[in-house]
Amino acid sequence: MLHKVSLGIADINKYRMIEARELIDEVVNLAEELKGLRLCHINSTPFGGGVAELLVCHIPLLCSLGIKADWQIIRGDRRFFTITKGLHNALQGAPFEEIKKESIRRVYQTSNLTNARELDPNYDVFIVNDPQPAALRHYLPDSQAKWIWRCHVDSSQPDGTVWNFLRPYIEEYDAAVFTTKEFIPKDLHLAKMVTMAPAICPFSSKNMFIKRYVCRELVENLGFDTNRLLITQVSRFDRWKDPFGTIAAYKLAKEKIPGLQLGMIGTFAPDDPESWDMHAAISAEANKDPDIFVFSNLTGVGNMEVNAFQRASDVIVQKSIREGFGLVVAEALWKETPVVAGNAGGIPLQMTGELSNYLVDSVEECAEKIVYLLENPAVSKRLGEEGREIVRRNFLSPRLIRDELRLIKSLVGK
Ligand code: UDP
């Protein structure tokens, strides 16, 4: 049997302190109509990256609402995850020629078939996240459940060969979900295609309130000088997050702000074999400057520490060149920390109004905006406050639960 992730308990009523009453009432009512529904999310890793982050919060909240929600993780060996990382990259537009080889396709197919046989099938609705498990539905043709494919990446311009390989699997689903309508590939044909943005949990250890002095102490204990300015990027060790662009922007900014420090916080995920090489390359670059620090989940920089960095940093940088959504942006804005981020994928959804002035298309622009914010703390403060309000209104868990339950209701015919 596939592994089911066991999680804590949540309480939707906690959100009444921060969310509009109508939203919470709608969520509660929808859940009441769907009470007892057996729902299962499936993905390829229980930690490291946005989907895992999202489900850790999402599943307990669904359970607290009376939905019988579970989360199953598919298995795969290094070969499978190397291929699926290629598929992930290709959905974001990078070529992945290997998929033309029958042997490579077979690894993906066989692994999905094995996982399909090990899946607990006793659910009314499955939500399959991202390309790794996308073929599961194909290998369970007799399933009476409703199947939803949830794409978390920017699939607006996928590599043609890979897309032609994946598309028939996805077209077997009852519905597909994308973060914005721009991400829906033009030739995808499905009866139901909807958009919903991801969301963060304000009560998780990643996002809960921590007093500033504690954050500063945490960061200080890791070697930072809290009397000097600090900028941080938090992301998987992944080429699309443009870590070298961030380091280059930091170096340019440092010419204007001597003593500036950079934190590069990253995760290794079991489904991402590329992260090791990327981590080594980033560390090699960081070793050239004593004010650049690289930390990861492998050395104990977990949710609380990320929370502390997002609060203690003067600016959070997320210089992505492709980005499905970028939970890290919402996380930083929720903490009222200003963000300079790549003008890519789902990031502009979060950085609207005045915040959009800090969406960047180049290293130079990134450095210029970082310097401006560091030199103008009053502007940073205003942007942080605006950012928190944008997140409060749009990107907290109950809104995502509502969107998901609305979709499920439309599919199960209640
Ligand atoms: N994250 C983390 N530690 C790290 C790097 C990332 O906990 O060292 C978390 C981050 O806080 C966020 C998630 O991983 O919750 C990344 O999600 P995002 O949507 O930004 O990017 P993805 O990894 O899904 O591409």
Side-chain angles (χ1 to χ4, degrees), residues 53 107 185 190 238 246 329:
E53 182 78 25
V107 171
L190 266 180
D238 179 289
T246 303
V329 172

mmCIF file of all heavy atoms in Angstrom, residues 53 107 185 190 238 246 329:
data_model
loop_
_atom_site.group_PDB
_atom_site.id
_atom_site.type_symbol
_atom_site.label_atom_id
_atom_site.label_comp_id
_atom_site.label_asym_id
_atom_site.label_seq_id
_atom_site.Cartn_x
_atom_site.Cartn_y
_atom_site.Cartn_z
ATOM 1 N N GLU A 53 3.929 21.474 1.317
ATOM 2 C CA GLU A 53 3.648 22.551 2.268
ATOM 3 C C GLU A 53 2.142 22.816 2.358
ATOM 4 O O GLU A 53 1.562 22.961 3.437
ATOM 5 C CB GLU A 53 4.378 23.815 1.788
ATOM 6 C CG GLU A 53 4.237 25.012 2.670
ATOM 7 C CD GLU A 53 5.134 24.929 3.893
ATOM 8 O OE1 GLU A 53 6.165 24.232 3.818
ATOM 9 O OE2 GLU A 53 4.781 25.543 4.906
ATOM 10 N N VAL A 107 9.690 3.563 -18.075
ATOM 11 C CA VAL A 107 9.970 3.737 -16.639
ATOM 12 C C VAL A 107 8.828 4.533 -15.994
ATOM 13 O O VAL A 107 8.313 4.170 -14.923
ATOM 14 C CB VAL A 107 11.317 4.484 -16.420
ATOM 15 C CG1 VAL A 107 11.496 4.854 -14.945
ATOM 16 C CG2 VAL A 107 12.489 3.645 -16.907
ATOM 17 N N PRO A 185 -2.670 24.849 -21.076
ATOM 18 C CA PRO A 185 -2.170 24.665 -22.437
ATOM 19 C C PRO A 185 -3.321 24.733 -23.446
ATOM 20 O O PRO A 185 -4.405 24.189 -23.193
ATOM 21 C CB PRO A 185 -1.528 23.276 -22.406
ATOM 22 C CG PRO A 185 -1.231 23.020 -20.967
ATOM 23 C CD PRO A 185 -2.332 23.714 -20.211
ATOM 24 N N LEU A 190 -10.749 19.114 -21.928
ATOM 25 C CA LEU A 190 -11.370 18.466 -20.777
ATOM 26 C C LEU A 190 -12.705 19.167 -20.529
ATOM 27 O O LEU A 190 -12.816 20.378 -20.739
ATOM 28 C CB LEU A 190 -10.504 18.673 -19.529
ATOM 29 C CG LEU A 190 -9.480 17.604 -19.149
ATOM 30 C CD1 LEU A 190 -8.757 18.013 -17.891
ATOM 31 C CD2 LEU A 190 -10.172 16.273 -18.920
ATOM 32 N N ASP A 238 16.805 24.853 -7.215
ATOM 33 C CA ASP A 238 16.185 24.577 -8.509
ATOM 34 C C ASP A 238 16.539 25.704 -9.476
ATOM 35 O O ASP A 238 16.548 26.880 -9.096
ATOM 36 C CB ASP A 238 14.666 24.519 -8.267
ATOM 37 C CG ASP A 238 13.860 24.264 -9.518
ATOM 38 O OD1 ASP A 238 13.767 25.154 -10.366
ATOM 39 O OD2 ASP A 238 13.306 23.153 -9.631
ATOM 40 N N THR A 246 20.060 35.659 -8.067
ATOM 41 C CA THR A 246 19.904 36.282 -6.745
ATOM 42 C C THR A 246 21.271 36.668 -6.186
ATOM 43 O O THR A 246 21.448 37.778 -5.662
ATOM 44 C CB THR A 246 19.200 35.298 -5.779
ATOM 45 O OG1 THR A 246 17.957 34.939 -6.368
ATOM 46 C CG2 THR A 246 18.969 35.910 -4.411
ATOM 47 N N VAL A 329 6.476 33.771 -1.533
ATOM 48 C CA VAL A 329 6.138 35.200 -1.649
ATOM 49 C C VAL A 329 4.997 35.521 -0.677
ATOM 50 O O VAL A 329 5.084 36.469 0.119
ATOM 51 C CB VAL A 329 5.767 35.556 -3.116
ATOM 52 C CG1 VAL A 329 5.228 36.974 -3.215
ATOM 53 C CG2 VAL A 329 6.980 35.366 -4.022
#
